[in-house]
mmCIF file of all heavy atoms in Angstrom:
data_model
loop_
_atom_site.group_PDB
_atom_site.id
_atom_site.type_symbol
_atom_site.label_atom_id
_atom_site.label_comp_id
_atom_site.label_asym_id
_atom_site.label_seq_id
_atom_site.Cartn_x
_atom_site.Cartn_y
_atom_site.Cartn_z
ATOM 1 N N MET A 41 110.362 69.352 86.698
ATOM 2 C CA MET A 41 110.436 69.998 87.993
ATOM 3 C C MET A 41 110.969 71.422 87.839
ATOM 4 O O MET A 41 110.405 72.345 88.424
ATOM 5 C CB MET A 41 111.325 69.177 88.925
ATOM 6 C CG MET A 41 111.440 69.780 90.304
ATOM 7 S SD MET A 41 112.112 68.695 91.536
ATOM 8 C CE MET A 41 113.850 68.910 91.285
ATOM 9 N N PHE A 42 112.046 71.605 87.079
ATOM 10 C CA PHE A 42 112.608 72.943 86.931
ATOM 11 C C PHE A 42 111.670 73.852 86.146
ATOM 12 O O PHE A 42 111.594 75.045 86.406
ATOM 13 C CB PHE A 42 113.978 72.881 86.266
ATOM 14 C CG PHE A 42 115.017 72.261 87.154
ATOM 15 C CD1 PHE A 42 115.641 71.084 86.782
ATOM 16 C CD2 PHE A 42 115.362 72.835 88.349
ATOM 17 C CE1 PHE A 42 116.591 70.501 87.594
ATOM 18 C CE2 PHE A 42 116.317 72.273 89.172
ATOM 19 C CZ PHE A 42 116.929 71.095 88.794
ATOM 20 N N LYS A 43 110.949 73.277 85.186
ATOM 21 C CA LYS A 43 110.010 74.068 84.409
ATOM 22 C C LYS A 43 108.896 74.599 85.306
ATOM 23 O O LYS A 43 108.447 75.733 85.151
ATOM 24 C CB LYS A 43 109.433 73.232 83.269
ATOM 25 C CG LYS A 43 108.546 74.011 82.364
ATOM 26 C CD LYS A 43 108.123 73.202 81.177
ATOM 27 C CE LYS A 43 107.151 74.026 80.389
ATOM 28 N NZ LYS A 43 107.510 74.208 79.031
ATOM 29 N N LYS A 44 108.455 73.791 86.274
ATOM 30 C CA LYS A 44 107.409 74.227 87.208
ATOM 31 C C LYS A 44 107.918 75.374 88.090
ATOM 32 O O LYS A 44 107.193 76.323 88.365
ATOM 33 C CB LYS A 44 106.975 73.048 88.060
ATOM 34 C CG LYS A 44 105.753 73.308 88.879
ATOM 35 C CD LYS A 44 105.277 72.045 89.569
ATOM 36 C CE LYS A 44 104.000 72.295 90.297
ATOM 37 N NZ LYS A 44 103.507 71.116 90.993
ATOM 38 N N ILE A 45 109.180 75.311 88.512
ATOM 39 C CA ILE A 45 109.761 76.374 89.332
ATOM 40 C C ILE A 45 109.887 77.660 88.527
ATOM 41 O O ILE A 45 109.510 78.738 88.997
ATOM 42 C CB ILE A 45 111.135 75.937 89.885
ATOM 43 C CG1 ILE A 45 110.966 74.806 90.888
ATOM 44 C CG2 ILE A 45 111.848 77.118 90.538
ATOM 45 C CD1 ILE A 45 112.258 74.187 91.339
ATOM 46 N N ILE A 46 110.403 77.554 87.308
ATOM 47 C CA ILE A 46 110.577 78.739 86.461
ATOM 48 C C ILE A 46 109.226 79.381 86.151
ATOM 49 O O ILE A 46 109.075 80.603 86.234
ATOM 50 C CB ILE A 46 111.327 78.367 85.157
ATOM 51 C CG1 ILE A 46 112.723 77.856 85.463
ATOM 52 C CG2 ILE A 46 111.386 79.547 84.203
ATOM 53 C CD1 ILE A 46 113.635 78.861 86.126
ATOM 54 N N ASN A 47 108.231 78.567 85.811
ATOM 55 C CA ASN A 47 106.905 79.119 85.521
ATOM 56 C C ASN A 47 106.284 79.778 86.751
ATOM 57 O O ASN A 47 105.626 80.802 86.650
ATOM 58 C CB ASN A 47 105.975 78.032 84.980
ATOM 59 C CG ASN A 47 106.314 77.651 83.566
ATOM 60 O OD1 ASN A 47 106.938 78.417 82.844
ATOM 61 N ND2 ASN A 47 105.921 76.448 83.174
ATOM 62 N N GLY A 48 106.491 79.193 87.915
ATOM 63 C CA GLY A 48 105.982 79.793 89.149
ATOM 64 C C GLY A 48 106.667 81.101 89.473
ATOM 65 O O GLY A 48 106.039 82.043 89.973
ATOM 66 N N MET A 49 107.958 81.182 89.198
ATOM 67 C CA MET A 49 108.691 82.427 89.435
ATOM 68 C C MET A 49 108.265 83.514 88.450
ATOM 69 O O MET A 49 108.179 84.682 88.818
ATOM 70 C CB MET A 49 110.195 82.189 89.318
ATOM 71 C CG MET A 49 110.771 81.346 90.410
ATOM 72 S SD MET A 49 110.830 82.224 91.956
ATOM 73 C CE MET A 49 112.001 81.260 92.843
ATOM 74 N N ILE A 50 107.984 83.142 87.219
ATOM 75 C CA ILE A 50 107.558 84.118 86.218
ATOM 76 C C ILE A 50 106.148 84.635 86.538
ATOM 77 O O ILE A 50 105.841 85.801 86.287
ATOM 78 C CB ILE A 50 107.633 83.493 84.813
ATOM 79 C CG1 ILE A 50 109.093 83.318 84.418
ATOM 80 C CG2 ILE A 50 106.911 84.348 83.774
ATOM 81 C CD1 ILE A 50 109.298 82.554 83.134
ATOM 82 N N ASP A 51 105.315 83.779 87.126
ATOM 83 C CA ASP A 51 103.943 84.184 87.450
ATOM 84 C C ASP A 51 103.886 85.269 88.516
ATOM 85 O O ASP A 51 102.921 86.021 88.578
ATOM 86 C CB ASP A 51 103.128 82.978 87.913
ATOM 87 C CG ASP A 51 102.764 82.053 86.781
ATOM 88 O OD1 ASP A 51 102.855 82.488 85.616
ATOM 89 O OD2 ASP A 51 102.391 80.897 87.066
ATOM 90 N N GLN A 52 104.892 85.339 89.380
ATOM 91 C CA GLN A 52 104.908 86.328 90.464
ATOM 92 C C GLN A 52 106.216 87.114 90.420
ATOM 93 O O GLN A 52 107.135 86.863 91.197
ATOM 94 C CB GLN A 52 104.756 85.631 91.802
ATOM 95 C CG GLN A 52 103.447 84.908 91.904
ATOM 96 C CD GLN A 52 103.241 84.319 93.260
ATOM 97 O OE1 GLN A 52 104.124 84.323 94.098
ATOM 98 N NE2 GLN A 52 102.064 83.808 93.490
ATOM 99 N N PRO A 53 106.303 88.104 89.532
ATOM 100 C CA PRO A 53 107.588 88.796 89.336
ATOM 101 C C PRO A 53 108.011 89.663 90.529
ATOM 102 O O PRO A 53 109.208 89.799 90.791
ATOM 103 C CB PRO A 53 107.353 89.640 88.092
ATOM 104 C CG PRO A 53 105.887 89.826 88.023
ATOM 105 C CD PRO A 53 105.282 88.585 88.617
ATOM 106 N N ILE A 54 107.078 90.227 91.265
ATOM 107 C CA ILE A 54 107.457 91.099 92.394
ATOM 108 C C ILE A 54 108.089 90.272 93.509
ATOM 109 O O ILE A 54 109.148 90.632 94.033
ATOM 110 C CB ILE A 54 106.244 91.890 92.898
ATOM 111 C CG1 ILE A 54 105.797 92.867 91.820
ATOM 112 C CG2 ILE A 54 106.573 92.637 94.181
ATOM 113 C CD1 ILE A 54 104.525 93.594 92.140
ATOM 114 N N LEU A 55 107.450 89.153 93.866
ATOM 115 C CA LEU A 55 108.026 88.306 94.916
ATOM 116 C C LEU A 55 109.343 87.681 94.471
ATOM 117 O O LEU A 55 110.264 87.523 95.270
ATOM 118 C CB LEU A 55 107.035 87.205 95.302
ATOM 119 C CG LEU A 55 105.895 87.631 96.205
ATOM 120 C CD1 LEU A 55 104.978 86.459 96.485
ATOM 121 C CD2 LEU A 55 106.421 88.201 97.500
ATOM 122 N N THR A 56 109.435 87.345 93.192
ATOM 123 C CA THR A 56 110.676 86.769 92.685
ATOM 124 C C THR A 56 111.820 87.774 92.747
ATOM 125 O O THR A 56 112.925 87.442 93.164
ATOM 126 C CB THR A 56 110.479 86.281 91.240
ATOM 127 O OG1 THR A 56 109.423 85.322 91.227
ATOM 128 C CG2 THR A 56 111.743 85.647 90.706
ATOM 129 N N SER A 57 111.545 89.010 92.348
ATOM 130 C CA SER A 57 112.609 90.018 92.399
ATOM 131 C C SER A 57 113.006 90.332 93.835
ATOM 132 O O SER A 57 114.188 90.516 94.129
ATOM 133 C CB SER A 57 112.175 91.282 91.662
ATOM 134 O OG SER A 57 111.072 91.868 92.304
ATOM 135 N N LEU A 58 112.034 90.383 94.753
ATOM 136 C CA LEU A 58 112.365 90.582 96.171
ATOM 137 C C LEU A 58 113.199 89.416 96.705
ATOM 138 O O LEU A 58 114.175 89.616 97.433
ATOM 139 C CB LEU A 58 111.092 90.708 97.000
ATOM 140 C CG LEU A 58 110.409 92.054 97.011
ATOM 141 C CD1 LEU A 58 109.081 91.947 97.746
ATOM 142 C CD2 LEU A 58 111.288 93.081 97.660
ATOM 143 N N PHE A 59 112.809 88.214 96.352
ATOM 144 C CA PHE A 59 113.523 87.026 96.811
ATOM 145 C C PHE A 59 114.967 87.014 96.307
ATOM 146 O O PHE A 59 115.903 86.816 97.078
ATOM 147 C CB PHE A 59 112.783 85.770 96.334
ATOM 148 C CG PHE A 59 113.447 84.488 96.708
ATOM 149 C CD1 PHE A 59 113.330 83.994 97.990
ATOM 150 C CD2 PHE A 59 114.182 83.772 95.782
ATOM 151 C CE1 PHE A 59 113.939 82.796 98.344
ATOM 152 C CE2 PHE A 59 114.800 82.593 96.122
ATOM 153 C CZ PHE A 59 114.666 82.102 97.407
ATOM 154 N N LEU A 60 115.152 87.258 95.008
ATOM 155 C CA LEU A 60 116.499 87.216 94.439
ATOM 156 C C LEU A 60 117.380 88.359 94.931
ATOM 157 O O LEU A 60 118.556 88.153 95.240
ATOM 158 C CB LEU A 60 116.420 87.220 92.913
ATOM 159 C CG LEU A 60 115.866 85.943 92.292
ATOM 160 C CD1 LEU A 60 115.736 86.101 90.791
ATOM 161 C CD2 LEU A 60 116.720 84.755 92.651
ATOM 162 N N SER A 61 116.820 89.563 95.028
ATOM 163 C CA SER A 61 117.632 90.680 95.513
ATOM 164 C C SER A 61 118.012 90.489 96.981
ATOM 165 O O SER A 61 119.152 90.759 97.368
ATOM 166 C CB SER A 61 116.902 91.999 95.307
ATOM 167 O OG SER A 61 115.720 92.024 96.069
ATOM 168 N N ASP A 62 117.076 89.991 97.794
ATOM 169 C CA ASP A 62 117.362 89.718 99.199
ATOM 170 C C ASP A 62 118.442 88.643 99.320
ATOM 171 O O ASP A 62 119.385 88.782 100.102
ATOM 172 C CB ASP A 62 116.076 89.267 99.888
ATOM 173 C CG ASP A 62 116.189 89.203 101.390
ATOM 174 O OD1 ASP A 62 117.210 89.663 101.937
ATOM 175 O OD2 ASP A 62 115.249 88.712 102.031
#
Side-chain angles (χ1 to χ4, degrees):
M41 181 166 84
F42 291 117
K43 185 174 175 125
K44 190 173 184 181
I45 292 172
I46 297 297
N47 287 338
M49 291 288 199
I50 289 173
D51 286 343
Q52 298 185 352
I54 294 174
L55 282 179
T56 302
S57 64
L58 279 173
F59 178 78
L60 290 176
S61 63
D62 191 9

